[in-house]
Amino acid sequence: MNPQSIEVNARSYRWMKRPVVVVCVDGCEPAYLDAAVEAGVAPYLEKMMRTGANLLADCVVPSFTNPNNLSIVTGAPPAVHGICGNYFFDRELGKEVMMNDPKYLRAGTVLAAFADGGAKVAVVTAKDKLRKLLGNHMKGICFSSEKADEATQEENGIDNVLDLVRLPVPSVYSAELSEFVFASGVKLMETRRPDLMYLSTTDYVQHKAAPGSPAANAFYAMMDRYLAELDALGATIVLTADHGMNDKHDSDGKPNVIYLQDVLDGWYGAEAARVILPITDPYVVHHGALGSFATVYAPDGEIAAQWIERIKELPGMESVLTRSEAARRFELPPDRIGDIVVVSERNTVIGTSASRHDLSALEVPLRSHGGVSEQRVPLICNRPVDGVESSRRLRNFDALDIALNHAQ
């Protein structure tokens, strides 16, 4: 017999009455949905927003992929689950590393808890970098579009994925990488009927195409068709995003970049400071590892305080905070961020040294994310919701709460 509710990270979730699908659309600025609906290419999304719940929420800052996906599946901010970037400086190891190893996760996921309670759980993510984090200690199906052809029963809870989905393995730099996620979700719902499913896409399109552009509308039209199929299969669907997306270039299309490592080296000498960009991941072609959030390691607190006052004067800076200030404001684990946290303005990004960023692959003017300016995201449900206080500050990591506790 299934339990009536499950408690995870001090939050309680009711057992699902029907299949629940939570979708994280990477880089989904709310304007993308509005533009697609206005263009008439997303009739299901229009219906979903009109007859279900059409809400807005705040994502986690830094507004990057790993921190937000892990916040959504744990129902908690990075201060609880520990994943505060795609990349960080591991003080214990004394080196910069990717934060995609489950050893860095400090909290259990709602997905794993429901699987332990007897639910059938499935996870499909676009890039493999997230798979092990999302599927940590989870009994069920968990695979990525990127490596769908390598999925095995032992490692992923499923094999022969390509035979199931009837699509080829897509390029990691393509809209098809996300389409494979949606197609997989529909096929899994048809054949395995999971009780709880989490689908996470990639923001390749959003980095290249603004809301309302032909490429963006084509992407959301594709997504719309698959969401309608999931609805027809009886699922409760909650859609949110890990972050928004903004132009980060000037009127000539050149990136607006503050190369902060170069600046600090010029002021204080080489190697006095270490600048870390948490946006960094193995897939940098579409953003050049440039985002609107960075952390800085200084020799000591007194020096950090002096640096802060000077960094604040740089054009394009929105906020420059001490470690403790940033940990409080953004709900971050203080031991995994630098002595200084730097957030740039809406149309500006932060780099390390100009020589370390290869922008030659940028085919279109830079669009990126990471700051407070990309914090607003959609939170929509295909069913009406009740019991949500109008004064409540909604977060993208309330998606499972909305789906399980409030959807009618």
Side-chain angles (χ1 to χ4, degrees):
M1 184 176 176
N2 295 326
Q4 289 187 326
S5 65
I6 297 276
E7 185 167 314
V8 188
N9 300 322
R11 301 183 77 170
S12 182
Y13 300 91
R14 292 200 301 242
W15 198 265
M16 61 289 296
K17 300 174 185 174
R18 59 178 71 88
V20 166
V21 181
V22 172
V23 182
C24 176
V25 184
D26 199 342
C28 186
E29 184 75 17
Y32 282 109
L33 301 182
D34 295 338
V37 167
E38 185 176 347
V41 301
Y44 176 72
L45 280 166
E46 188 278 328
K47 178 185 175 185
M48 187 175 176
M49 295 161 75
R50 175 171 45 83
T51 64
N54 183 14
L55 306 168
L56 291 171
D58 288 333
C59 76
V60 164
V61 174
S63 48
F64 296 136
T65 296
N66 286 17
N68 279 281
N69 272 272
L70 271 297
S71 288
I72 294 168
V73 300
T74 60
V80 174
H81 62 70
I83 306 299
C84 56
N86 304 339
Y87 185 80
F88 84 123
F89 179 65
D90 188 323
R91 291 175 186 265
E92 292 182 11
L93 295 178
K95 64 179 183 179
E96 301 173 22
V97 296
M98 292 296 300
M99 201 185 287
N100 56 6
D101 191 309
K103 71 181 182 182
Y104 295 118
L105 194 54
R106 292 172 169 170
T109 71
V110 180
L111 307 174
F114 270 94
D116 286 343
K120 291 190 291 183
V121 180
V123 174
V124 187
T125 181
K127 297 175 182 175
D128 207 61
K129 69 173 184 177
L130 262 177
R131 178 182 59 83
K132 288 186 178 180
L133 285 170
L134 295 175
N136 190 43
H137 298 311
M138 189 198 90
K139 293 177 287 191
I141 294 169
C142 185
F143 65 90
S144 70
S145 300
E146 181 185 3
K147 297 189 177 180
D149 58 332
E150 300 176 21
T152 64
Q153 194 69 43
E154 182 181 14
E155 174 73 14
N156 307 93
I158 189 172
D159 52 18
N160 300 319
V161 169
L162 299 188
D163 291 341
L164 174 69
V165 182
R166 304 287 179 90
L167 290 173
V169 176
S171 164
V172 74
Y173 295 112
S174 71
E176 287 75 23
L177 196 73
S178 292
E179 180 169 5
F180 197 100
V181 172
F182 290 115
S184 298
V186 170
K187 290 298 184 182
L188 287 171
M189 190 59 68
E190 288 175 343
T191 61
R192 309 295 180 96
R193 201 152 181 87
D195 300 301
L196 179 60
M197 184 159 60
Y198 184 72
L199 305 177
S200 178
T201 73
T202 173
D203 57 2
Y204 173 77
V205 168
Q206 290 81 359
H207 270 288
K208 296 170 73 71
S213 64
N217 280 351
F219 177 87
Y220 285 93
M222 173 275 293
M223 185 175 85
D224 191 82
R225 295 191 296 272
Y226 287 108
L227 292 175
E229 290 186 55
L230 287 168
D231 182 290
L233 290 165
T236 292
I237 303 168
V238 170
L239 182 149
T240 190
D242 54 352
H243 55 76
M245 190 75 68
N246 276 307
D247 289 340
K248 304 290 183 178
H249 56 81
D250 61 20
S251 58
D252 294 327
K254 296 178 181 178
N256 283 325
V257 188
I258 301 168
Y259 289 110
L260 190 56
Q261 187 72 61
D262 285 343
V263 170
L264 293 171
D265 287 353
W267 288 348
Y268 305 112
E271 299 184 4
R274 179 192 293 268
V275 177
I276 298 292
L277 305 178
I279 193 175
T280 307
D281 67 12
Y283 318 91
V284 299
V285 167
H286 48 299
H287 55 63
L290 295 170
S292 293
F293 184 101
T295 68
V296 182
Y297 290 80
D300 58 52
E302 185 176 338
I303 291 175
Q306 296 170 8
W307 289 4
I308 285 172
E309 293 309 309
R310 199 167 179 186
I311 295 170
K312 283 180 178 178
E313 300 303 314
L314 292 172
M317 286 300 179
E318 181 171 304
S319 56
V320 186
L321 309 169
T322 65
R323 177 194 287 117
S324 59
E325 289 170 341
R328 284 194 303 272
R329 183 180 300 185
F330 301 133
E331 301 168 282
L332 301 174
D335 61 320
R336 290 185 174 173
I337 57 177
D339 304 292
I340 303 168
V341 167
V342 180
V343 182
S344 59
E345 293 176 349
R346 178 186 179 95
N347 299 119
T348 303
V349 286
I350 303 165
T352 53
S353 301
S355 61
R356 292 174 61 185
H357 294 269
D358 180 8
L359 307 184
S360 61
L362 286 179
E363 301 168 352
V364 294
L366 179 67
R367 292 172 55 75
S368 195
H369 51 94
V372 175
S373 49
E374 290 80 45
Q375 191 172 25
R376 208 70 166 149
V377 294
L379 182 62
I380 64 176
C381 182
N382 65 337
R383 305 183 191 280
V385 301
D386 57 20
V388 179
E389 295 291 334
S390 59
S391 59
R392 174 177 168 182
R393 181 197 181 194
L394 291 169
R395 311 297 298 276
N396 61 350
F397 58 79
D398 291 325
L400 281 159
D401 175 55
I402 295 293
L404 295 165
N405 297 332
H406 298 284
Q408 295 178 18

